[in-house]
Amino acid sequence: MKTIYTAIALLACTATAGRAAAEERATRVAAENVSVATADGSLNISADFVLDSLSLRSNSQIFITPVVRGGAGEETVLPSLLVSGRNMHYAYERGSLRGFDDIRRHDILREVRRDNGRPQRVAYLTSTPLQKWMRLADVRVAFVYDSCGCGVAGAPVIADEIPLNLNPAKEMRKVMQTPAVTELPVEIHEGRARVQFEVDRTELHAEPYVCRNGQRIDNRAQLKMIDDSVKYALTDPNVEIAGIDICGYASPESPYLHNEYLATNRSRALAEYLADRYHLPREKCTYSSVPENWKEFREQVVENKEITDRQRTDLLELIDRPVYGPSDYDAKEKELKTSPKFAGLYRTKILPQWFPRLRATTFAISTHLRPMSDQQLAKIIETTPEKMSLNQMFRVARLYPEGSDEFNRVIDIALRHYPDSETANLNAAAAYAARGDYDRAEQLLAKSGDSPEAWNLRGIILTSKGEFEQAAECFRKAGNLPEAAKNLDRLK
């Protein structure tokens, strides 16, 4: 049973031409057993108005009127219950009040005489065509009273307005997607070193070494450069090495295929050394090579200030000549050595000074988060969420009750860091729909794809707008999603 009480003020009105204002009194009116239902395209409203505490002078009357109101200003005024004092009741029965404005302003469903001092309950039941806006989520019914016959505009409300609750969207089941487990985001630290190798050999020497030709190799400074880069990459205690990628570059002298062999195996030797040093699986240290570093050779030619413009033009023409295989590269190298245009420069500058700078190694150190519990990840998301995968963020969200402020905040963080993810957009849309923000949810659904969960949520949003037929079609498009089937049943 639902009972509504308030103190109402009665303004006594007379049925005579003068209509002097009557004394205002504080009274009480109650509405019990309020019921709102729909049937056959009609909205039915019923209530029991309890007048036990109401006292009316003989020449007074009040109008109790249900008004259905929508969130966008829609309004439907239902017929009024007219409660009359003794004299006004007899005048109403004789029809002598029909010409007065206060009567004309109301559609009278029923008129009753108030028997002052006695218990009195009046049953009220009426219906009105069910309009589309009445099925929206923010529609309510108010019982207003009019003690002067002025109409419902500005008339006080007996008590709080009552939601019609004809729209089932709020109770419908929203479904989120658990993001797929993917590779963690990585942070890449890049560097360049000049690790030396013995001529025509691929063994890496980490300690000082004297070659067969007397050349002394000392790679300690270059390997320390890589080591310092690894330590810098690991300054965050929450990360670990995801992988190290090595790329070795060779200069263009010697046959191309031989350079390819040397560059590839020297890169592999360095990758294996780093894997052993940092206790990484060999597959986490990858390697590749550029057998002949013509790209940086070209950059040297463009930037060098010691050659003539003619030499620069001739060299760039040679470097930019199209190649289709190893023999074309070898032809270029032979021309550098033997052509009168280049031979002198090759012996004095290119081979002894430029080519050694082309023999280098680049490295890229990738780091990602260490394996962590969901509780540990809840701390990471507060500091460095960019290191987390979408799946990890969703796991953190699940630590909190769905719909809580903490849950919604994590879902928003996930959307901010994965704005193009269909799953992140869908889950955020579902969270906003659960909060009743269907406009924002609809915006996010535009980037949520066509999964069953997305179609289910589209159905809920259409339901909130009163578009029941279109909503039902969306629920059907959700296929075998159990929640969509239940939402469709609720809609029916």
Side-chain angles (χ1 to χ4, degrees):
M1 175 183 294
K2 185 162 186 169
T3 305
I4 305 171
Y5 286 98
T6 188
I8 65 174
L10 295 179
L11 301 177
C13 302
T14 66
T16 63
R19 295 197 63 210
E23 180 183 356
E24 181 178 344
R25 297 182 181 178
T27 62
R28 295 175 65 86
V29 173
E32 295 181 350
N33 302 325
V34 178
S35 174
V36 177
T38 60
D40 300 326
S42 296
L43 174 67
N44 302 319
I45 296 179
S46 63
D48 291 332
F49 292 111
V50 181
L51 310 178
D52 297 1
S53 300
L54 176 65
S55 179
L56 284 181
R57 294 180 177 274
S58 294
N59 293 331
S60 299
Q61 60 184 179
I62 64 169
F63 299 85
I64 302 175
T65 308
V67 181
V68 182
R69 291 170 173 162
E74 305 93 342
E75 183 175 272
T76 292
V77 179
L78 302 180
S80 303
L81 170 68
L82 173 60
V83 183
S84 305
R86 183 175 61 85
N87 293 342
M88 298 295 282
H89 169 67
Y90 292 137
Y92 182 85
E93 285 189 333
R94 292 194 300 267
S96 57
L97 298 180
R98 292 174 186 169
F100 286 92
D101 288 342
D102 52 354
I103 297 296
R104 291 201 299 264
R105 290 191 186 100
H106 291 271
D107 178 13
I108 308 299
L109 174 71
R110 182 180 179 187
E111 188 271 346
V112 296
R113 172 185 170 181
R114 174 65 185 119
D115 292 327
N116 290 334
R118 296 183 180 181
Q120 188 174 8
R121 180 182 294 262
V122 181
Y124 178 94
L125 173 63
T126 191
S127 65
T128 188
L130 181 62
Q131 301 179 53
K132 180 178 177 180
W133 63 267
M134 294 179 180
R135 300 186 294 188
L136 300 179
D138 56 352
V139 180
R140 63 261 183 225
V141 61
F143 292 100
V144 301
Y145 69 89
D146 173 15
S147 59
C148 66
C150 302
V152 300
V157 178
I158 289 178
D160 293 338
E161 297 179 347
I162 305 168
L164 288 191
N165 291 328
L166 298 182
N167 192 289
K170 189 174 182 180
E171 288 74 33
M172 285 182 169
R173 302 189 179 191
K174 297 96 180 161
V175 187
M176 293 187 174
Q177 285 182 341
T178 300
V181 177
T182 59
E183 293 289 336
L184 293 176
V186 297
E187 186 174 357
I188 298 177
H189 306 264
E190 296 180 317
R192 185 184 182 92
R194 295 189 183 278
V195 180
Q196 291 181 298
F197 290 85
E198 187 175 1
V199 175
D200 232 20
R201 305 286 293 182
T202 62
E203 297 86 0
L204 174 67
H205 298 289
E207 298 298 329
Y209 177 80
V210 179
C211 305
R212 291 169 297 176
N213 63 1
Q215 178 190 6
R216 189 174 188 274
I217 292 176
D218 188 352
N219 285 319
R220 288 177 297 179
Q222 298 301 312
L223 294 177
K224 184 178 184 301
M225 184 185 303
I226 300 176
D227 191 56
D228 288 344
S229 296
V230 170
K231 290 178 180 177
Y232 176 77
L234 296 177
T235 51
D236 184 347
N238 294 314
V239 305
E240 64 180 7
I241 295 176
I244 300 178
D245 182 57
I246 300 296
C247 183
Y249 294 79
S251 56
E253 79 269 19
S254 299
Y256 182 91
L257 293 178
H258 184 63
N259 286 336
E260 184 176 46
Y261 167 81
L262 290 176
T264 299
N265 286 280
R266 287 172 177 176
S267 297
R268 178 169 61 188
L270 180 57
E272 291 175 351
Y273 165 80
L274 295 174
D276 293 339
R277 177 168 177 76
Y278 301 114
H279 309 291
L280 298 173
R282 290 289 177 92
E283 62 270 15
K284 281 196 172 185
C285 287
T286 59
Y287 59 91
S288 59
S289 66
V290 177
E292 295 186 359
N293 194 357
W294 289 91
K295 179 177 180 294
E296 288 192 72
F297 181 32
R298 190 184 196 285
E299 293 172 358
Q300 289 178 338
V301 171
V302 171
E303 297 171 1
N304 194 281
K305 306 299 183 183
E306 299 178 354
I307 60 176
T308 66
D309 290 341
R310 181 71 265 170
Q311 288 174 318
R312 181 177 291 105
T313 300
D314 291 341
L315 283 170
L316 290 177
E317 183 181 347
L318 173 68
I319 293 170
D320 293 340
R321 184 186 302 164
V323 292
Y324 303 99
S327 61
D328 295 321
Y329 286 108
D330 293 342
K332 285 187 179 185
E333 183 207 352
K334 182 178 179 180
E335 188 170 344
L336 276 174
K337 291 179 179 179
T338 61
S339 171
K341 292 188 294 185
F342 310 121
L345 185 62
Y346 181 82
R347 288 191 304 271
T348 60
K349 296 286 186 182
I350 295 176
L351 184 61
Q353 297 179 20
W354 297 7
F355 276 6
R357 294 198 292 269
L358 302 181
R359 303 166 196 149
T361 301
T362 60
F363 56 88
I365 304 162
S366 302
T367 60
H368 62 194
L369 281 179
R370 297 178 181 275
M372 293 184 179
S373 67
D374 294 349
Q375 288 74 17
Q376 290 172 313
L377 290 172
K379 298 178 180 179
I380 297 297
I381 204 169
E382 299 297 334
T383 56
T384 52
E386 67 276 2
K387 296 182 184 294
M388 297 175 60
S389 70
L390 184 59
N391 178 272
Q392 288 176 321
M393 292 181 176
F394 193 70
R395 283 160 47 193
V396 171
R398 288 299 191 194
L399 294 174
Y400 309 107
E402 189 166 331
S404 65
D405 290 343
E406 295 85 355
F407 179 90
N408 291 334
R409 183 175 58 82
V410 175
I411 292 297
D412 283 340
I413 291 174
L415 178 64
R416 187 161 62 249
H417 286 275
Y418 293 90
D420 296 323
S421 164
E422 291 184 354
T423 298
N425 278 273
L426 171 69
N427 291 345
Y432 277 98
R435 285 178 265 179
D437 190 346
Y438 296 109
D439 290 339
R440 177 60 175 152
E442 189 171 21
Q443 292 174 358
L444 294 169
L445 270 177
K447 297 177 64 175
S448 298
D450 292 320
S451 65
E453 293 85 356
W455 281 115
N456 176 67
L457 192 52
R458 289 187 181 99
I460 293 173
I461 292 174
L462 287 168
T463 299
S464 73
K465 297 179 178 181
E467 304 286 353
F468 290 173
E469 293 181 4
Q470 296 93 321
E473 182 61 26
C474 287
F475 291 136
R476 285 190 283 268
K477 286 184 177 181
N480 296 324
L481 189 68
E483 291 81 0
K486 292 178 180 178
N487 289 341
L488 182 59
D489 288 341
R490 183 184 293 270
L491 188 63
K492 293 177 181 178

